Amino acid sequence: MKKIPTLFIRDPSNPLRVINEVNSLCQWVVNGEGIATRKWDGQPILLQDGLMYKRYTGDIKGYSGNPLGAISCGEEEDTTPIWWVIVTYRNEDKHIRATMENQRLWNKAHNGTYEIVGPNFCHNREKVDKDLLIKHGSNGMFSSAPTNFVDLVEWIRNFDIEGLVWHHPDGRMAKIRKSDLGLRRDPRLNGISARAGERPMPTHDIGGESGF
């Protein structure tokens, strides 16, 4: 999986923000060709041909684990390299292994990209009571999400989510983070739209083969 492009162009004066200009790689989103899904805030995982990888950002020479078999997935927008590195039996990977074993998905999950969210990942910003594997694009559809910059800012401020990922039928994807728009997550919203009454799929309903 390569790095997903951001829907809008980065602000040259503040790369942490975007401006009201559509990224040409993502014009298909504005054309109405994609489906908006919830972007989860956790540990990205790749399952491929019986091996499990986690995402690592930085020079692979500086990785403390085994860099053999690492897969390049491009660069961050600031040119920092991104890799998939193999999950091992090192202590630092224990929570990843435990999540797979608890959900009995190590050998059953399909090839693809996933997100692990829960108490042991990213300060549990998704507010779930146990670590869960979520298949990317499988949960939290947002059919009402606008793609116009101004409307999107007003819409997304009503949700306690990290952001959105649009999926095109041909496999292309585009993303936006709430922080890209200068907004912070608000736990008081509890993932429910304060204005539109729309609710993302509850994380406690995620199970079975759900994954990134």
Side-chain angles (χ1 to χ4, degrees):
M1 175 186 176
K2 297 298 182 181
K3 187 68 177 174
I4 301 172
T6 300
L7 178 58
F8 298 106
I9 297 294
R10 291 282 169 190
D11 185 343
S13 63
N14 182 1
L16 297 178
R17 302 285 187 268
V18 295
I19 59 176
N20 188 359
E21 181 180 346
V22 176
N23 184 337
S24 61
L25 296 175
C26 307
Q27 181 62 44
W28 55 270
V29 175
V30 179
N31 295 343
E33 300 174 21
I35 297 174
T37 66
R38 180 172 179 169
K39 189 178 190 305
W40 301 93
D41 191 359
Q43 170 64 61
I45 294 291
L46 168 68
L47 299 180
Q48 182 170 288
D49 301 328
L51 293 175
M52 180 188 297
Y53 300 80
K54 64 180 180 179
R55 193 173 68 186
Y56 171 76
T57 302
D59 187 339
I60 195 63
K61 295 179 181 178
Y63 177 56
S64 61
N66 185 356
L68 295 178
I71 302 171
S72 173
C73 48
E75 298 177 336
E76 293 279 12
E77 286 153 324
D78 64 358
T79 72
T80 302
I82 311 168
W83 302 84
W84 290 116
V85 294
I86 294 176
V87 173
T88 69
Y89 283 90
R90 291 163 57 93
N91 189 60
E92 65 186 50
D93 293 336
K94 66 180 181 181
H95 294 303
I96 297 176
R97 296 195 311 272
T99 301
M100 294 297 292
E101 292 162 1
N102 290 341
Q103 291 188 239
R104 300 179 180 179
L105 291 174
W106 189 281
N107 296 316
K108 291 166 58 179
H110 299 295
N111 285 355
T113 56
Y114 297 74
E115 196 92 7
I116 299 180
V117 300
N120 293 300
F121 298 91
C122 293
H123 308 289
N124 197 16
R125 295 189 183 99
E126 303 299 354
K127 302 188 294 295
V128 295
D129 58 7
K130 64 179 180 179
D131 297 336
L132 296 171
L133 186 74
I134 306 171
K135 185 171 181 58
H136 285 160
S138 68
N139 291 285
M141 304 298 179
F142 288 91
S143 59
S144 67
T147 56
N148 170 275
F149 183 91
V150 175
D151 292 341
L152 180 58
V153 170
E154 291 306 308
W155 181 90
I156 203 169
R157 73 167 67 249
N158 294 293
F159 292 89
D160 180 32
I161 57 175
E162 187 192 16
L164 297 172
V165 177
W166 285 266
H167 295 258
H168 192 281
D170 66 9
R172 283 178 289 171
M173 291 183 283
K175 70 180 180 184
I176 193 71
R177 291 188 177 93
K178 199 170 183 179
S179 61
D180 293 333
L181 301 167
L183 301 171
R184 294 183 178 181
R185 295 189 65 165
D186 185 352
R188 294 172 298 178
L189 295 176
N190 196 30
I192 301 173
S193 170
R195 181 177 60 184
E198 182 170 1
R199 180 194 297 267
M201 182 173 289
T203 51
H204 62 262
D205 286 345
I206 300 166
E209 291 187 340
S210 293
F212 172 75

